[in-house]
């Protein structure tokens, strides 16, 4: 497989990272530096590829470089790091949910590929930046776009929020969903303002209020919200990275007091370069570019919508169509 060139700052960093990390790290990750982290070890190389459950080479290269950069800076303190390939489809050719989010722990030679959602986008008058259920065509860092932004992130604090109750096997279950805040830079610098992070792909629909004064979540009148649980693990998000509830718990437990990096492909430059190559009928591999072939065939040409272009469109739409006041949640009709 042809190696795809890294960004210039990454190349220079990798030349010094092994020695720098060895001097800075005092925790277990220091073992990685001693093994010349810039060289992909054979056990990890076996997971490189474009099939389901594999990680494409450029995604791994950039994810590893981002992780080492942040370890040296001191902002990443976890022995594991994460990556996502948002050019891959939601469903694999086998019909199963596709795996496009990666948990990589080089200290114990473990690699895990799991499912993850990408931003669904929106369809507004004069600007259609919505994504289909299988493949992402549109990307943006605009507030209100509900789209994924590729690039580097570092995990920050985890917040939990009560969403309501739902029925499962005849019992009432409280949905308390953790949210992992991401911090970014460059195109991803406004991640906190956009409330971009990671969480489990579950929500409640059809909400109503039910009397339950014994609940710690009851309001001042003793009511709590109830709804129908919806799991959209194989679907789309509002721009965040979303996982199954089981994988979300694993990830949240992993990063407690140990922040790490999340690299999401593609970046704006990748999108623009691929779009240019497609329009010129050039072969991506000959240009040193990558996009999942199945999704590229489906979407045609990808588009990155910079916030400078898209936010004014969204602002005009909001001004012309202000959101109605929230409706009160009705009382449940039974039970």
């Amino acid at each position: 497989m042809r190696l795809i060139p890294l960004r210039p700052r990454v190349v220079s960093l990798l030349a010094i990272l092994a020695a720098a990390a060895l001097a800075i790290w005092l925790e277990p990750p220091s073992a990685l530096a001693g093994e010349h982290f810039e060289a992909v070890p054979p056990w990890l190389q076996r997971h490189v590829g474009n099939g389901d459950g594999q990680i494409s080479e450029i995604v791994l290269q950039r994810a590893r470089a981002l992780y080492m950069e942040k370890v040296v800076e001191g902002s990443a303190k976890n022995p594991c790091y994460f990556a996502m390939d948002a050019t891959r489809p939601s469903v694999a050719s086998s019909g199963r949910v596709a795996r496009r989010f990666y948990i990589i722990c080089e200290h114990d030679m473990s690699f895990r590929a799991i499912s993850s959602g990408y931003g669904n986008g929106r369809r507004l008058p004069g600007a259609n930046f919505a994504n289909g259920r299988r493949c992402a065509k549109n990307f943006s860092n605009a507030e209100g776009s509900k789209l994924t932004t590729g690039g580097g992130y570092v995990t920050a604090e985890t917040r939990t929020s009560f969403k309501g109750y739902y029925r499962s096997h005849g019992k009432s279950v409280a949905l308390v969903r953790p949210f992992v805040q991401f911090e970014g830079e460059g195109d991803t610098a406004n991640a906190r303002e956009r409330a971009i992070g990671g969480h489990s792909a579950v929500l409640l629909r059809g909400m109503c209020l039910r009397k339950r004064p014994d609940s710690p979540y009851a309001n001042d009148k003793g009511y709590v919200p109830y709804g129908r649980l919806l799991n959209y693990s194989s679907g789309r998000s509002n721009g965040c990275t979303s996982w199954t509830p089981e994988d979300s718990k694993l990830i949240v437990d992993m990063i407690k007091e140990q922040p790490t990096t999340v690299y999401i492909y593609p970046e704006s430059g990748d999108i623009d370069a691929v779009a240019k190559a497609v329009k010129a009928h050039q072969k991506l591999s000959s240009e040193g570019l990558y996009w999942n072939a199945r999704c590229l065939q489906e979407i045609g040409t990808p588009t990155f919508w910079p916030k400078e272009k898209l936010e004014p469109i969204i602002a005009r739409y909001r001004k012309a169509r202000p959101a109605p006041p929230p409706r009160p949640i009705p009382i449940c009709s039974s039970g």
Side-chain angles (χ1 to χ4, degrees), residues 127-141:
N128 179 7
F129 46 97
N131 281 324
R133 291 188 177 276
R134 288 204 311 166
C135 296
K137 173 184 175 68
N138 297 295
F139 300 81
S140 178
N141 59 347

Side-chain angles (χ1 to χ4, degrees), residues 254-283:
M254 285 178 63
I255 62 172
K256 284 181 179 177
E257 300 180 2
Q258 288 188 304
T260 192
T261 55
V262 183
Y263 178 76
I264 298 179
Y265 183 90
E267 299 181 40
S268 59
D270 302 309
I271 298 166
D272 292 343
V274 168
K276 182 178 179 181
V278 169
K279 291 177 181 177
H281 303 287
Q282 297 172 328
K283 190 175 180 180

Side-chain angles (χ1 to χ4, degrees), residues 206-211 223-227 329-335:
M207 303 293 286
C208 64
L209 294 176
R210 186 167 295 164
K211 198 80 170 180
Y223 285 97
V224 293
Y226 269 77
I329 301 176
I331 303 299
C332 298
S333 59
S334 62

